[in-house]
Amino acid sequence: MTVTPLITRPEGLYCPAGDFHIDPVRPVARALITHGHADHARAGHGAVLATAQTLDIMALRYGEGFTQSRQVADGQVRIGDVTVSFHPAGHVLGSAQIKVAGVGPSVVVTGDYARQPNAACAPWEPVPCDIFVTEATFALPVFRHPDPLAEIGKLLASVAAFPDRAHLVGAYALGKAQRVIMLLRQAGYDAPIYIHGALQKLCDYHLSQGVPLGDLRPATVARGKKGDFAGAIIIAPPSAFAATWAQRFPDPVICFASGWMMVRARARQRGVELPLVISDHVDWPELTATITELNPSETWVTHGREDAILRWCALQGRVARPLRLVGYEDEPE
Amino acid sequence: MIGAFAELLERLAFTPQRNRKLDHLRQFFAAQPDPERGLALAALTGDLGLRAVTPSLLRGLASDRLDPELFAISYDFVGDLAETIALAWPDAVPGPEVPLSELVAELQDTPKARLPGAIAGRLDALGPSQRYAYLKLATGGLRVGVSARLARQAVADFGALALAEVEELWHGLTPPYAALFAWAEGAPKPISAARAPFRPVMLSTAIDLEGLQALDPADHVAEWKWDGIRVQAVADQGARRLYSRTGDDISGAFPDLLAALDFEGVIDGELLVRRGDVVAPFNELQTRLGRKSPSAKLQASHPAALRAYDLLLWGERDLRGESFATRRAALEQAVVGLDTARVDLSALLPFSTWDDLAQLRADPPDAVIEGVMIKHRASPYLGGRIKGHWFKWKRDPMRVDAVLLYAQRGHGKRSGYYSDFTFGVWDGGALVPVGKAYFGFTDAELKELDRFVRNNTVERFGPVRAVAPKMVVEVAFEGLNRSPRHKSGVAMRFPRIARIRADKPAGEADTLESLRAFLSN
């Protein structure tokens, strides 16, 4: 391969032929953004191209002035000598994989992606490409995420077993929180779900986009007593558990919805009493199946546990290389 | 069923609070039939007696199914062999639910050469959390924070039985404890058939000089309270056992002392490491505790001995209904003829007034004394903590003024509060951590500490916050040992935060040097 459509720079992935970055970790002139999580979508770029929902989410989080100019990704977009297109990634609302074609081999950058059904966003689509640029957050054979409805079943069983306690579910504000709510609704839980103030804007936005989250109420007790939240499910960003905010609930059961909860030591370190293995990333079987299915001529690994997936590719006789991009978190807070 | 057991282990592993663990166990005993619940109980108490499946056997299994390099990367991330295998084992089609009894019987009866194949076959037919439970069952060590005693407490709670009675019976019972569960559910109490059973130990209540004023010194005797481990030494028709005061059989760790139990009877006493007249500090005893088969070298360097306090049975005679005075006279006779290097008598202290005793207590002749015991001359030997017969008057706790360094959030009712504290003392110009405490303070003090932590955080490490070194707390503790594992070189016993020293600037907190003065060795 003589032409390299993407190169790595300190700012992140860069396309020389189109003079743009994808998910840059520092302000740049022109950025293509895969999704709204803070480590991928940062404020301060000159121009941003992203899905309409990702642009909305960035505006909600950073204010309308998060970029000087913005453009909604719609169909094939010509930038310099290349054509880019956005395809659903199944990770969070608005999340997309970005395909870059026209100069040298075609490339798909996944951003973060998931293949489990998620009622809070559009499902992942396979996009044929020569070079597959994948994340590797859960790229270890130990990560095989269980059926999320079975995990929600655990939560509901615990609520039934401890009706006097409040269940505090830690879930990141964008994506995971709405996913958990939708899973609860799918499991037939139609009682009000209480949410931390930090989730309000994003939950409202999901409702406006047609995600039926049901009856959500603020988890505030202006004049309330501790017993008010007995038996209730409260969803909050995990950081809230460290705040005095958590002191208002009766003998709470601390739950955390994350793919990391597969590993006991991780769950215990966080003081979690009820780990819920609910992930919005591909697990090991999904990642390896995706590479097999797309059958790219090269696989590049952006961030995560690249050692294991590189080893797997080697065993399969596949060409793979680590990009070792820095600045992306395992799961954004 | 292994599924229910896996679920129980999962709950216990993530439940830090003791009472909640008891809840989970009770619910499990109520829901599971015999022999499943009994086998689970035996797994928790360590009485299942399975031939241990070794780590190397498990590694071999894993490398047959997984690329060794991928397995190594995974193990490195997860940190627990059984868990790594449980998670990474290639999924097959889960079979039907398997009873624990079937799995236990298979692990017991399968010849060694066929064991790896049998285990692999089971792993193929189980889901991930069941694979974990199965591997933990097979390897021993469940590590879910449940002691044998807590498990027995749960059975007692389940059947509204007295824990002391369950403990007395325990060593006469064998898994799967059908008779025990039947008793818990209303059947008559089983009759212990075991030789050398455990008898409930008599415990004391705390008292101080003020409380003693209501008692007549002439009616009481006093002894030193030794800082070892309270034990019951039993010899019954050739069977010899050493029990902790909670009824755990610790005989295996102390063959040297067991050999000296050359009598028929039951002696209550303190287990110590003793070289001639010199009693070693508690941490030397600790080095012998967890060793299932201590080396001859360790037995020689750390000889175990019993300091006799009381006599429950002697020959055919049950002395428990007799007065302390009668039992003491019999005890003095009983120890004559025993190897004095292994068994000796706890001395009675000379005193005629409580002030005399206070003076003795203030200046004990040995560092391994942690106070005095006061016993009514007429007291019978009663299992449990019965008021009015025996009293402990512990040495005042040691105290040090330390600076708060780190804090971590608590669980359950303390969720959201910083309630686990690490504190340090000065060593040169720096503060060195010397201990952790998560109790001792009042609710009001907890709020104050919590507020302080939130307002003075300087750094975060995951759930741990480092705070500006400004707050001085008075830490009370029961003893200080040398510890090469701690950076400070010392380890406190039972540290707790006695009070907040708002009046004291951090610079005036104690030094490591002044703390070291409390070392007992």
Side-chain angles (χ1 to χ4, degrees), chain A residues 140-141 143-144 154 162 165 241-244 247 251-252 260 262-264 266-269 273 275 308 311, chain B residues 10 13-14 20 67 69-70 73-74 77 83 87-89 91 131-132 409 412-413 415-417 450 454 463:
Chain A
L140 282 178
F143 288 109
R144 280 179 291 168
K154 282 190 203 165
F162 300 107
R165 305 177 71 186
F241 296 166
T244 51
Q247 294 172 2
D251 197 4
W260 296 117
M262 285 221 75
V263 177
R264 278 155 199 263
R266 286 285 186 121
R268 281 199 220 159
Q269 273 161 16
E273 207 171 319
R311 168 70 181 170
Chain B
E10 203 132 301
F14 293 113
R20 296 269 175 227
D67 171 55
E69 193 171 318
L70 283 177
I73 297 169
S74 301
F77 181 85
E83 187 175 4
L87 291 172
W89 193 260
D91 262 326
R131 287 196 290 261
Y132 177 79
R409 270 171 293 136
K413 292 194 164 60
S415 285
Y417 286 98
D450 181 65
R454 289 172 193 287

Side-chain angles (χ1 to χ4, degrees), chain B residues 301-505:
Chain B
S301 64
H302 292 66
L306 179 72
R307 185 147 284 178
Y309 289 140
D310 213 322
L311 192 64
L312 285 68
L313 277 81
W314 196 249
E316 296 293 302
R317 200 170 156 209
D318 187 343
L319 293 139
R320 286 178 289 178
E322 310 278 349
S323 69
F324 177 84
T326 306
R327 296 198 309 277
R328 172 75 194 190
L331 178 67
E332 286 173 8
Q333 289 301 310
V335 297
V336 175
L338 297 179
D339 178 0
T340 52
R342 296 292 177 189
V343 185
D344 69 353
L345 202 59
S346 160
L348 295 184
L349 303 179
F351 72 101
S352 48
T353 68
W354 295 127
D355 285 345
D356 293 348
L357 190 60
Q359 261 181 18
L360 287 170
R361 170 179 166 276
D363 187 23
D366 196 303
V368 195
I369 287 170
E370 55 169 4
V372 293
M373 294 295 302
I374 296 151
K375 299 174 178 176
H376 198 285
R377 290 177 190 275
S379 61
Y381 193 95
L382 302 166
R385 201 178 297 279
I386 316 283
K387 281 186 181 148
H389 297 283
W390 285 13
F391 305 95
K392 59 181 169 196
W393 187 13
K394 286 180 84 163
R395 164 189 68 194
D396 292 330
M398 301 163 183
R399 287 164 197 276
V400 70
D401 288 330
V403 182
L404 218 58
L405 296 176
Y406 304 99
Q408 199 168 350
R409 270 171 293 136
H411 299 284
K413 292 194 164 60
R414 285 171 165 188
S415 285
Y417 286 98
Y418 284 88
S419 60
D420 297 11
F421 304 102
T422 302
F423 44 83
V425 293
W426 293 103
D427 184 23
L431 284 160
V432 48
V434 290
K436 281 178 102 163
Y438 45 91
F439 67 105
F441 36 77
T442 63
D443 286 354
E445 284 173 323
L446 173 59
K447 283 196 174 145
E448 187 178 339
L449 288 163
D450 181 65
R451 204 175 321 120
F452 172 81
V453 171
R454 289 172 193 287
N455 295 336
N456 293 277
T457 299
V458 291
E459 220 176 325
R460 290 182 168 85
F461 313 93
V464 179
R465 287 188 181 206
V467 297
K470 292 199 290 200
M471 180 177 269
V472 177
V473 288
E474 183 179 297
V475 177
F477 55 102
E478 295 303 317
L480 193 72
N481 291 320
R482 286 184 202 284
S483 166
R485 285 186 302 138
H486 294 84
K487 193 177 161 197
S488 62
V490 295
M492 290 178 172
R493 298 185 64 202
F494 300 117
R496 65 254 182 205
I497 292 180
R499 66 191 171 116
I500 298 170
R501 292 293 307 264
D503 55 314
K504 206 163 199 181

Side-chain angles (χ1 to χ4, degrees), chain A:
Chain A
M1 246 172 266
T2 46
V3 186
T4 305
L6 289 181
I7 58 171
T8 55
R9 283 186 167 185
E11 293 83 3
L13 272 179
Y14 177 68
C15 175
D19 188 25
F20 61 82
H21 287 82
I22 297 177
D23 290 353
V25 296
R26 297 177 197 168
V28 298
R30 194 185 303 166
L32 274 58
I33 306 291
T34 59
H35 67 285
H37 277 149
D39 51 335
H40 292 260
R42 296 172 196 254
H45 303 308
V48 170
L49 175 67
T51 63
Q53 289 172 330
T54 295
L55 291 171
D56 288 346
I57 288 165
M58 290 178 78
L60 278 176
R61 299 193 125 179
Y62 304 124
E64 288 297 335
F66 72 91
T67 179
Q68 288 165 32
S69 76
R70 60 178 99 166
Q71 184 185 347
V72 173
D74 188 14
Q76 309 265 323
V77 180
R78 184 87 190 165
I79 308 176
D81 296 333
V82 296
T83 304
V84 303
S85 54
F86 284 57
H87 308 268
H91 175 60
V92 297
L93 191 66
S95 65
Q97 312 169 74
I98 297 174
K99 181 166 183 172
V100 181
V103 172
S106 65
V107 187
V108 165
V109 179
T110 64
D112 291 335
Y113 66 113
R115 297 192 60 179
Q116 274 184 353
N118 179 350
C121 70
W124 177 87
E125 279 176 13
V127 185
C129 56
D130 299 317
I131 299 174
F132 184 56
V133 183
T134 181
E135 59 138 327
T137 304
F138 290 111
L140 282 178
V142 294
F143 288 109
R144 280 179 291 168
H145 297 138
D147 176 5
L149 273 174
E151 297 297 294
I152 283 296
K154 282 190 203 165
L155 171 60
L156 292 174
S158 178
V159 171
F162 300 107
D164 298 334
R165 305 177 71 186
H167 282 69
L168 255 56
V169 183
Y172 295 108
L174 169 59
K176 192 62 67 62
Q178 295 78 23
R179 173 115 194 265
V180 168
I181 294 169
M182 288 308 291
L183 286 166
L184 281 164
R185 299 309 186 201
Q186 274 173 267
Y189 185 81
D190 51 14
I193 295 171
Y194 297 86
I195 57 171
H196 184 276
L199 306 183
Q200 190 69 53
K201 269 197 297 191
L202 282 162
C203 284
D204 288 347
Y205 179 68
H206 277 72
L207 281 163
S208 78
Q209 294 295 301
V211 181
L213 299 175
D215 185 359
L216 303 184
R217 300 188 188 173
T220 46
V221 269
R223 294 167 299 280
K225 298 180 292 289
K226 267 208 164 192
D228 288 356
F229 288 100
I233 295 176
I234 297 122
I235 303 190
S239 55
F241 296 166
T244 51
W245 178 85
Q247 294 172 2
R248 70 187 70 186
F249 300 104
D251 197 4
V253 179
I254 301 295
C255 319
F256 189 30
S258 164
W260 296 117
M261 295 295 105
M262 285 221 75
V263 177
R264 278 155 199 263
R266 286 285 186 121
R268 281 199 220 159
Q269 273 161 16
R270 280 187 161 268
V272 170
E273 207 171 319
L274 183 63
L276 302 171
V277 186
I278 300 175
S279 164
D280 40 27
H281 296 265
V282 282
D283 63 4
W284 177 258
E286 289 165 342
L287 173 59
T288 53
T290 302
I291 294 172
T292 307
E293 192 181 324
L294 295 175
N295 196 22
S297 52
E298 285 191 25
T299 300
W300 297 359
V301 185
T302 53
H303 62 287
R305 264 124 294 276
E306 59 263 21
D307 293 350
I309 196 63
L310 293 173
R311 168 70 181 170
W312 180 86
C313 285
L315 289 172
Q316 302 288 315
R318 292 184 171 280
V319 178
R321 73 178 177 100
L323 299 182
R324 305 196 199 281
L325 295 185
V326 293
Y328 300 103
E329 293 158 21
D330 280 341
E331 271 199 305
E333 190 133 14

